[in-house]
């Protein structure tokens, strides 16, 4: 019976004061939406990737050597681990780098998980990834000639390969046109291509020759095997690397993105949960203050402290559950669809039917209920310890003290609404703290949202306007200089030809990047260098944990070269190592790209057309086209930016709505008194508008300082393989943040200012002071 009475009271309280409790439901919805949405995005991405690895039977790691290494085979046999060997080559088609890997009819590891073939895959077939067809314009059934080096620099074959079909391979999941395409070559097809090109060799001779070039071991084993192999063979000249799957250059980016998707859980939802603490604490404190006499009656009727505490806790538990249910519905719908755009642009991932509900979502509800329980205990502690008589007597009066500011004549001339505003901030310090922290979080999120766009734009401007200020770029179809023909084009001022090669760079770990071989003297490339210089992009240096003066190595054509870093430069798009063509005499300077400077940007399009007419030029791109392409690449990041901004504004609206409503309800008597004394509606409303605008402005200024660290945290776990972030926030972003936060609260309070006209003076003045 007792429980029924209190349950009815809970329902009546929520129904009668639903507007006052709406902010609790909204903040609960936002917090759970972000938690469940980000978690769903992480799990969806992880499961799609795991499905690929399972279907393709992806190996646990790879040991790579220059040529076949019998000692590695003996090591693996001794460790009793499963493995397969294959030939792995870094070849080229025109100026396009290719990764080629062989397979046989018995191959069981690192298989394509999806192909366009209607029949079963055989070792007489050759498969390419979809990006290769889109970049070359070739079709299934076409043939292309590839340069294939075998055994380091000792032999380079020019072979014709006929495309049997397309595939999605676990070692080539990235959609980026900047990454080398992956060619899956059947062992018998490779032998046939060699025999067609070199007819004096018979199949048995070719087969015997190729056995010496099996330079990769695909291994199914525990992680410690790869560490042991590295320790055992790292001093051998024939050894290149021993890496577990997550450290392989082909898989490092996508595996890192899975981890980054998970780490987002620890940033945005935490901010909203902290604000939820403040909103629930303020709301329940206001309820306890209003219900003081009812608490006394319940105590006098024999209800225990725990029953009364649980009664008021139950109100906010119900509100939190309502918000949580809405969040569990909205989160898995909104966030994965927004973030999924990024992964669909960057990777070739399968479409899968994934569960809408996951049991882990209940963790977000438990966190919210725990927050509600703890804040309820804190808010109700004092009231629960009062005797019934004290509760019934009430304690609504506030001791009046003469401020020391009254000694100053200037203070006495301050308008009454301003004095009331500052008095209210002093009296309601807990609510004041809630507004400061809530708006601080909102402004920090807004600065972060604006800063993401500023960072990307700043990086692009830095590279293409200061570091490499070119107007047109050219891509060659072959490795040969086109400088003489290009300089004859009208309005071309100067150009820098350079060679760009795909390489693996190593210090403590191994990453896949690029080697830029620059001319002896550059006119467009603005970073100073000489014969001994080794410039490295900051992104690559951070991935390698390398600093100026450190020695690193890179693998080009199965040969290892060692260089010492002389400078680290912030590049946005161009990533890798930059060397003069005279740095290593045995690395040929065969230019396959060029940066071109024109007299004016309006000539870029016509000059690009003239460049395309030169024999041996594959394509050209103006700086305007490059910017447009960059915008397409970062479109998913911009979607995330708008998501951050929208949630930041929603957070501000919830916090400020909660404050404005509580402020209005608490100051009903003040409003009525001012109306009785003849103050205008504007003067009455200005007292709490001034308070909230002042707090919002101060909190916004503080929040600006937290925007940059939040920006670094968000982008550091959302690295894009195509762009390096050079963190920067434009001053206008700070100004816009303050305008948006202050504008939001001004709009909300204008609504409540209008409601002051509906305050009944007689009813409001009846309560006891």
């Amino acid at each position: 019976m007792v429980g029924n009475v209190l349950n009815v009271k809970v329902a009546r309280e929520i129904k009668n004061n639903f507007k006052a409790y709406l902010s609790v439901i909204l903040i609960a919805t936002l917090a759970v939406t972000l938690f469940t949405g980000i978690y769903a995005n992480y799990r969806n991405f992880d499961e799609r990737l795991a499905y690929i690895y399972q279907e393709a039977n992806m190996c646990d790691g790879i040991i790579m050597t220059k040529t076949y290494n019998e000692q590695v085979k003996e090591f693996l046999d001794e460790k009793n681990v499963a493995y397969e060997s294959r030939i792995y080559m870094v070849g080229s088609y025109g100026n396009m780098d290719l990764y080629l890997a062989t397979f046989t009819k018995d191959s069981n590891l690192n298989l394509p998980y999806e192909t366009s073939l209607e029949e079963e895959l055989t070792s007489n077939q050759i498969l390419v990834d979809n990006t290769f067809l889109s970049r070359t314009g070739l079709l299934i059934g076409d043939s292309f000639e590839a340069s294939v080096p075998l055994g380091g620099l000792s032999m380079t074959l020019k072979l014709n390969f006929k495309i049997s079909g397309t595939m999605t391979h676990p070692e080539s999941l990235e959609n980026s046109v900047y990454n080398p395409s992956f060619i899956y070559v059947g062992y018998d097809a490779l032998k046939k291509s060699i025999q067609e090109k070199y007819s004096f060799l018979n199949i048995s001779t070719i087969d015997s020759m190729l056995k010496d070039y099996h330079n990769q071991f695909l291994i199914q084993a525990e992680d410690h095997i790869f560490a042991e192999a590295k320790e055992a063979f790292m001093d051998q000249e024939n050894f290149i690397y021993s890496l577990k799957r997550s450290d392989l250059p082909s898989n490092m980016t996508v595996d890192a993105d899975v981890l980054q998707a998970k780490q987002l859980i620890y940033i945005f939802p935490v901010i909203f949960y902290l604000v939820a603490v403040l909103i629930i604490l303020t709301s329940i404190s206001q309820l306890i203050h209003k219900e003081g006499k009812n608490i006394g009656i319940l105590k006098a009727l024999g209800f225990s402290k725990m029953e009364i505490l649980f009664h008021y806790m139950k109100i906010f538990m119900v509100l939190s559950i309502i918000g949580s249910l809405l969040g569990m519905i909205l989160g898995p719908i909104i966030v994965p669809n927004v973030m999924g755009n990024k992964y669909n642009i960057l990777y070739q991932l399968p479409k899968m039917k994934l569960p809408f509900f996951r049991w882990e979502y209940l963790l977000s509800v438990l966190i919210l209920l725990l927050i509600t329980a703890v804040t309820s205990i804190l808010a109700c502690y004092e009231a629960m310890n009062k005797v019934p008589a004290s509760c019934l007597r009430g304690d609504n009066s506030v001791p009046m003290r003469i401020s020391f500011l009254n000694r100053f004549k200037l203070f006495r001339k301050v308008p009454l609404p301003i004095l009331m505003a500052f008095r209210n901030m002093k009296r309601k310090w807990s609510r004041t703290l809630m507004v400061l922290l809530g708006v601080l979080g909102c402004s920090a999120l807004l600065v972060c949202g604006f800063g993401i766009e500023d960072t990307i734009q700043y990086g692009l401007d830095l590279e293409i306007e200061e570091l490499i200020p070119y107007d047109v770029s050219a891509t060659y179809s072959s490795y040969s200089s086109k400088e003489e023909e290009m300089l004859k084009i009208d309005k071309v001022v100067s150009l820098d030809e350079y060679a760009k090669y795909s390489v693996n760079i190593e210090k403590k770990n191994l990453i896949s990047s690029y080697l830029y071989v620059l001319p002896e003297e550059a006119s467009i490339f603005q970073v100073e260098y000489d014969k001994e210089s080794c410039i490295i992009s900051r992104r690559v240096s951070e991935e390698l944990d390398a600093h100026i003066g450190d020695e690193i190595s890179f693998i080009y054509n199965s040969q290892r070269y060692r260089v010492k870093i002389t400078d680290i430069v912030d590049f946005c798009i161009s990533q890798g190592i930059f060397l003069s063509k005279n740095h290593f005499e045995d690395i040929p300077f065969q230019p396959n790209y060029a940066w071109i400077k024109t007299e004016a940007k309006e000539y870029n399009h016509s000059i690009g057309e003239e460049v395309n007419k030169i024999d041996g030029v594959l394509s050209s791109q103006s700086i305007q086209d490059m910017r447009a392409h960059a915008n397409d690449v970062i479109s998913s990041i911009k979607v995330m930016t708008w998501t951050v901004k929208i949630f930041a504004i929603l957070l501000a609206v919830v916090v400020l709505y909660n404050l404005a409503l509580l402020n209005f309800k608490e100051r009903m008597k003040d409003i009525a008194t001012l109306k009785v004394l003849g103050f205008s509606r504007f003067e009455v409303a200005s007292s709490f508008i001034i308070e909230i605008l002042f707090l919002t402005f101060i909190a916004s200024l503080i929040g600006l300082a937290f925007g940059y660290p939040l920006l670094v945290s968000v982008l550091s776990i959302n690295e894009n393989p195509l762009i390096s972030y050079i963190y920067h926030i434009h001053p206008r972003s700070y100004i816009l943040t303050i305008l948006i936060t202050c504008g939001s609260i001004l709009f909300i309070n204008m609504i409540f200012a209008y409601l002051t006209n509906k305050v009944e003076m007689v009813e409001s003045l009846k309560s006891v002071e």
Side-chain angles (χ1 to χ4, degrees), residues 421-422 424-426 428-440 443 656 659 663 688-703 741-742 745:
F422 282 92
N424 205 46
M425 282 187 278
K426 182 180 178 182
K428 304 293 183 181
W429 63 268
S430 61
R431 191 185 60 206
T432 299
L433 180 63
M434 181 201 74
V435 177
L436 288 173
L437 293 178
V439 176
L440 184 154
S443 58
L656 298 175
L659 173 69
N663 214 0
F688 56 87
I689 289 180
I690 291 170
E691 174 191 350
I692 194 65
L693 278 178
F694 176 79
L695 291 176
T696 301
F697 182 73
I698 296 299
S700 296
L701 289 179
I702 300 172
T741 51
C742 292
I745 188 54

Side-chain angles (χ1 to χ4, degrees), residues 203-463:
I203 291 295
S204 60
T205 302
I206 295 171
D207 187 57
S208 177
M209 178 186 70
L210 288 179
K211 287 180 180 179
D212 293 332
Y213 299 124
H214 280 69
N215 59 342
Q216 275 197 348
F217 293 86
L218 310 182
I219 302 168
Q220 295 282 53
E222 302 292 332
D223 290 349
H224 67 86
I225 294 295
F226 304 100
E228 292 175 13
K230 183 176 181 180
E231 185 177 352
F233 302 110
M234 64 184 302
D235 295 330
Q236 292 188 10
E237 185 179 350
N238 192 27
F239 177 78
I240 296 180
Y241 63 71
S242 173
L243 297 173
K244 59 183 181 181
R245 182 170 64 197
S246 59
D247 292 333
L248 291 171
S250 60
N251 299 83
M252 186 182 296
T253 300
V254 65
D255 285 342
D257 260 350
V258 173
L259 179 61
Q260 292 164 6
K262 183 179 182 180
Q263 289 173 333
L264 278 176
I265 300 172
Y266 310 118
I267 297 182
F268 295 125
V270 171
I271 296 174
F272 284 79
Y273 277 123
L274 290 176
V275 174
V277 171
L278 297 171
I279 288 180
I280 294 172
L281 181 61
T282 306
S283 301
I284 198 169
S285 297
Q286 174 69 15
L287 174 64
I288 296 300
H289 180 76
K290 185 184 73 171
E291 290 279 300
K293 293 182 176 61
N294 288 335
I295 291 173
I297 293 172
L298 291 173
K299 284 185 174 184
L301 292 174
F303 288 89
S304 67
K305 291 181 182 180
M306 289 303 299
E307 287 175 324
I308 298 171
L309 174 62
F310 187 68
H311 163 66
Y312 289 104
M313 187 189 298
K314 192 186 298 182
I315 294 173
F316 287 86
M317 289 284 190
V318 172
L319 297 172
S320 299
I321 290 172
I322 293 172
S324 298
L325 292 176
L326 291 173
M328 283 197 293
I329 295 172
L330 296 175
I333 295 175
I334 297 174
V335 178
N337 286 330
V338 172
M339 296 299 295
N341 290 329
K342 168 187 174 181
Y343 305 130
N344 291 335
I345 290 173
L346 295 177
Y347 306 110
Q348 302 176 60
L349 296 173
K351 294 181 179 179
M352 295 174 56
K353 187 176 181 181
L354 297 164
F356 179 78
F357 173 78
R358 299 179 187 274
W359 288 106
E360 290 86 347
Y361 298 166
L362 296 178
L363 178 61
S364 63
V365 182
L366 292 176
I367 293 173
L368 199 62
L369 294 180
L370 180 62
I371 288 172
T372 303
V374 173
T375 51
S376 299
I377 293 171
L378 293 174
C380 300
Y381 180 79
E382 184 179 354
M384 294 302 105
N385 288 320
K386 289 182 178 180
V387 297
S390 177
C391 294
L392 291 168
R393 183 168 59 249
D395 188 21
N396 295 321
S397 62
V398 177
M400 301 299 293
R401 297 187 181 93
I402 302 298
S403 173
F404 77 94
L405 294 175
N406 281 310
R407 301 173 186 174
F408 303 100
K409 291 183 179 180
L410 182 63
F411 178 78
R412 299 172 189 171
K413 296 180 180 180
V414 175
L416 181 60
I418 296 178
L419 294 177
M420 292 182 67
F422 282 92
R423 181 205 66 172
N424 205 46
M425 282 187 278
K426 182 180 178 182
R427 287 175 57 189
K428 304 293 183 181
W429 63 268
S430 61
R431 191 185 60 206
T432 299
L433 180 63
M434 181 201 74
V435 177
L436 288 173
L437 293 178
V439 176
L440 184 154
C442 161
S443 58
L445 283 172
L446 279 174
V447 170
C448 174
F450 286 118
I452 292 173
E453 291 187 24
D454 292 343
T455 293
I456 295 170
Q457 195 60 48
Y458 176 76
L460 290 174
D461 292 342
L462 177 66
E463 177 163 336

